[in-house]
Amino acid sequence: MMEILANFFGAFLPEWLVTLLLILIKVMAIVIPLILLVAYATYAERKIIGFMQVRVGPNRVGFKGLLQPFADMFKLIFKEIIVPEKSNRFLFLIAPLLAMGPAFAAWAVIPFSDGLVLADVNAGLLFLLALTSLGIYGVIIAGWASNSKYAQLSAMRLGAQMVSYEIAMGFALVGVLMASGSLNLGDIVRAQSGSIFSWFVWPLFGLFVVYFIAGVAETNRAPFDVAEGESEIVAGFHVEYSGMAFSIFFLAEYANMWLISALTSLMFLGGWLSPFQGLDFLTNMPVLGLFFGDGVHWLLLKASFFMLLFFWFRATFPRYRYDQIMRLGWKILIPVTLVWIFAEGLAIALGWKPWL
Amino acid sequence: MIFEQIIFYLFSAVLVTAAVGMVTVRNPVYAALCLILSFFTSAALWLLLEAEFLGIVLVLVYVGAVMVLFLFVIMMLDLNIDPLKEGFAKYAPVGFLVAGVIAVEMIMVLRSAPFQIATPRAPAPENNTEALGAILYTNYVYPFEIAAVILVVAIIAAIVLTLRRRPDSRKQDISEQVQVKREDRVRLVKMKSETKEQA
């Protein structure tokens, strides 16, 4: 497919332009489905939380409200973007982009299926850690450039929270790379092949839990959403934003949620690997075998499950107090990961690797 | 390859501009942001040199953590620039002297033997994260561990220096709060249901 395109463009364009064009096409092939996923995640969230709270949720636009995300989008597009007079105009306008860039760029190294990845980077895991730590700038700059006390407070809260939880997150990933022996995400998934019992979630269960909790905190979702804290600081860093500028923050938040969900499934639940691996009578069936076999649909299903958890948390848990968040991050999650990594290192040194 | 060259010149231009901006810009927040941009672009240049580990770690550590805290502090302070610029003429000679000494030192270091490599770009190992790890944990394991110990000492020292007991602070003891049981807070009382006659 890519070769056909390369030959087609190569006929009348210089080589470097063809390279650039092919990369752009691949990027679009990831970004457009991702934006659709984000749009329907907002719909799913409202429906699911509505169900949990015995409400109906959006049901007016389209069949069962299925066109609601588009209605929201058009509404936001046509709203005026108001730039506060005393704000720092340049930084104010560039902040949403800084929030969105890393959230989308991280998808470059996500393997959707065996070999189906935009950039098969050796140090993919490090790349992801670096990019997720960049997302914080959008928020901090938005908070400062708004020239508003609430926005500033929220940026400070979020900055401290993200820097703290990044450590627990990084340590949880160290456990994964010790078990897989590779920083390449494709290799990490391949190291989990065999059966459902060779997934890393079993030997690394503690790290799995820590990673997901840290992920919820990193994406600034309930119960860790002190940066938004409607009841205390209005809406946090995006109080002053309206219209499209606000919706880009929204987009970044949901893209990050999908990213954390996809990463959790890649690193602990075998990514695109089917849970029915090794059960040949299922995977060899004529048509259903396609479903029971490995494929991108498993990654999507697993990631959707974690998205459900995100919504479920939001409907269930009250918001953490700020000092409780700090305590959870530094005094509970980080020690747990340290002990787990030590035990894992011991197990590997003693040659207990086969349990992986 | 021409595509790589275009990217290289693009990033170099951004890097030089950001570095110059960092020292010339008046607003300290802008200066910090320029520094972040130059870290980021130099990381990209390292990636072009196939030193992916160094490049990514530069972003992860400096851009992702250190500079966040820097920005934090700068944004919290209400910096008044004018008093900082007082006495510029008085301190300028000292400044130029220090800059000159540093420049001479850097030139001397860069002309020393370890930097005189015949080819500008050594063939990078296939997976340089692994290669660096192998070297760090075999040939340089003691220096590496000593550096780690020094860092731990520094962390503990920083905590000890800033830790002070404040009797007036109304800090909540979270572990006590978390360990609260129902019996401590709720008392269940058994009593007969009231009847109409009693009321």
Side-chain angles (χ1 to χ4, degrees):
Chain A
M1 166 81 176
M2 277 298 148
E3 276 168 25
I4 299 170
L5 279 173
N7 288 333
F8 173 70
F9 289 124
F12 52 90
L13 289 173
E15 195 200 329
W16 64 270
L17 208 62
V18 173
T19 320
L20 192 68
L21 220 60
L22 287 185
I23 294 176
L24 277 180
I25 290 173
K26 287 182 200 168
V27 168
M28 290 321 277
I30 294 177
V31 166
I32 292 174
L34 183 62
I35 290 181
L36 280 175
L37 278 179
V38 165
Y40 276 94
T42 61
Y43 171 74
E45 174 171 31
R46 293 166 69 179
K47 271 286 185 196
I48 289 167
I49 293 181
F51 172 73
M52 287 176 181
Q53 297 169 346
V54 205
R55 292 185 284 115
V56 186
N59 66 343
R60 290 287 128 178
V61 194
F63 176 69
K64 298 246 177 212
L66 269 172
L67 292 177
Q68 185 68 41
F70 292 98
D72 290 342
M73 197 181 71
F74 284 120
K75 186 192 85 173
L76 285 165
I77 286 175
F78 289 115
K79 277 200 164 186
E80 185 186 355
I81 298 177
I82 298 162
V83 183
E85 202 172 298
K86 289 272 173 70
S87 70
N88 190 318
R89 198 183 163 85
F90 174 69
L91 290 181
F92 185 83
L93 291 178
I94 208 174
L97 299 179
L98 286 179
M100 193 180 69
F104 278 71
W107 288 87
V109 293
I110 301 280
F112 295 98
S113 177
D114 205 351
L116 189 65
V117 50
L118 177 60
D120 202 7
V121 189
N122 266 335
L125 207 58
L126 279 174
F127 177 81
L128 277 171
L129 271 177
L131 275 182
T132 42
S133 64
L134 280 182
I136 186 173
Y137 280 108
V139 175
I140 286 197
I141 290 173
W144 184 77
S146 299
N147 197 14
S148 150
K149 278 179 195 133
Y150 295 126
Q152 174 83 354
L153 273 175
S154 143
M156 294 295 144
R157 285 181 176 192
L158 189 70
Q161 178 182 327
M162 281 183 82
V163 168
S164 313
Y165 278 80
E166 230 158 60
I167 301 169
M169 206 174 197
F171 275 142
L173 295 186
V174 168
V176 173
L177 83 92
M178 276 164 76
S180 65
S182 172
L183 282 168
N184 181 302
L185 286 162
D187 289 343
I188 289 174
V189 175
R190 277 185 280 276
Q192 305 177 53
S193 57
S195 71
I196 187 169
F197 297 108
S198 29
W199 290 357
F200 287 157
V201 64
W202 310 117
L204 305 179
F205 188 76
L207 295 182
F208 163 71
V209 173
V210 168
Y211 182 80
F212 194 63
I213 294 176
V216 176
E218 284 277 289
T219 47
N220 176 32
R221 292 286 300 181
F224 303 105
D225 56 346
V226 284
E228 281 172 31
E230 297 89 348
S231 48
E232 313 142 34
I233 48 174
V234 207
F237 57 92
H238 51 57
V239 225
E240 306 289 347
Y241 283 87
S242 61
M244 226 27 217
F246 163 76
S247 71
I248 286 175
F249 276 120
F250 214 67
L251 195 66
E253 183 180 329
Y254 279 77
N256 269 325
M257 283 162 65
W258 273 111
L259 182 69
I260 295 290
S261 306
L263 284 178
T264 319
S265 16
L266 280 172
M267 276 177 294
F268 296 97
L269 292 182
W272 69 76
L273 298 173
S274 153
F276 301 107
Q277 260 191 324
L279 303 173
D280 287 336
F281 65 94
L282 279 175
T283 45
N284 289 341
M285 275 200 293
V287 181
L288 284 174
L290 280 177
F291 174 74
F292 287 121
D294 305 335
V296 66
H297 57 287
W298 282 114
L299 181 63
L300 192 64
L301 278 176
K302 289 166 188 170
S304 307
F305 169 70
F306 287 111
M307 289 300 277
L308 174 66
L309 287 188
F310 269 107
F311 305 149
W312 199 347
F313 291 163
R314 189 177 155 192
T316 317
F317 294 130
R319 185 176 295 137
Y320 262 83
R321 214 170 56 207
Y322 188 73
D323 57 325
Q324 290 171 330
I325 289 184
M326 284 296 145
R327 174 176 173 272
L328 182 69
W330 288 98
K331 293 191 181 169
I332 298 176
L333 297 188
I334 292 177
V336 165
T337 52
L338 284 176
V339 170
W340 209 286
I341 288 172
F342 183 73
E344 194 189 347
L346 218 59
I348 291 173
L350 290 174
W352 295 353
K353 193 101 184 189
W355 49 257
L356 290 172
Chain B
M1 187 182 159
I2 188 162
F3 187 60
E4 218 174 281
Q5 277 178 359
I6 294 172
I7 293 179
F8 172 78
Y9 284 114
L10 200 74
F11 277 121
S12 317
V14 174
L15 173 58
V16 173
T17 322
V20 170
M22 193 257 148
V23 283
T24 51
V25 137
R26 275 155 192 260
N27 189 331
V29 172
Y30 277 154
L33 290 176
C34 279
L35 186 57
I36 291 164
L37 184 61
S38 50
F39 275 143
F40 196 75
T41 37
S42 44
L45 288 180
W46 262 341
L47 285 185
L48 282 180
L49 284 172
E50 294 173 27
E52 78 260 9
F53 181 75
L54 286 178
I56 292 173
V57 165
L58 180 73
V59 173
L60 183 60
V61 175
Y62 280 91
V63 180
V66 174
M67 286 314 290
V68 172
L69 301 176
F70 255 78
L71 256 184
F72 228 81
V73 174
I74 293 174
M75 286 175 175
M76 296 271 268
L77 298 174
D78 189 19
L79 274 186
N80 195 357
I81 318 279
D82 291 330
L84 292 178
K85 279 192 289 209
E86 275 171 21
F88 178 76
K90 205 167 82 185
Y91 297 123
V94 186
F96 281 121
L97 188 72
V98 172
V101 169
I102 290 176
V104 170
E105 278 176 357
M106 279 185 75
I107 289 167
M108 278 164 69
V109 166
L110 287 177
R111 288 170 67 91
S112 64
F115 284 93
Q116 304 302 313
I117 310 165
T119 49
R121 184 163 137 186
E126 180 67 15
N127 185 344
N128 63 49
T129 315
E130 213 174 304
L132 270 174
I135 286 180
L136 272 185
Y137 285 100
T138 52
N139 295 358
Y140 295 99
V141 65
Y142 292 118
F144 184 67
E145 294 294 331
I146 290 169
V149 170
I150 292 174
L151 280 176
V152 171
V153 170
I155 292 173
I156 294 173
I159 293 173
V160 168
L161 283 177
T162 50
L163 189 71
R164 58 198 169 113
R165 301 253 170 256
R166 283 176 53 190
D168 58 322
S169 91
R170 293 171 183 268
K171 203 171 150 254
Q172 283 153 319
D173 186 355
I174 299 178
S175 57
E176 204 173 279
Q177 292 178 330
V178 169
Q179 281 165 9
V180 151
K181 292 191 194 63
R182 190 188 64 180
E183 288 77 40
D184 305 339
R185 296 284 163 91
V186 184
R187 191 163 55 96
L188 288 178
V189 186
K190 245 204 171 88
M191 58 185 290
K192 270 186 191 150
S193 57
E194 292 178 5
T195 54
K196 237 180 196 173
E197 290 83 61
Q198 280 172 330

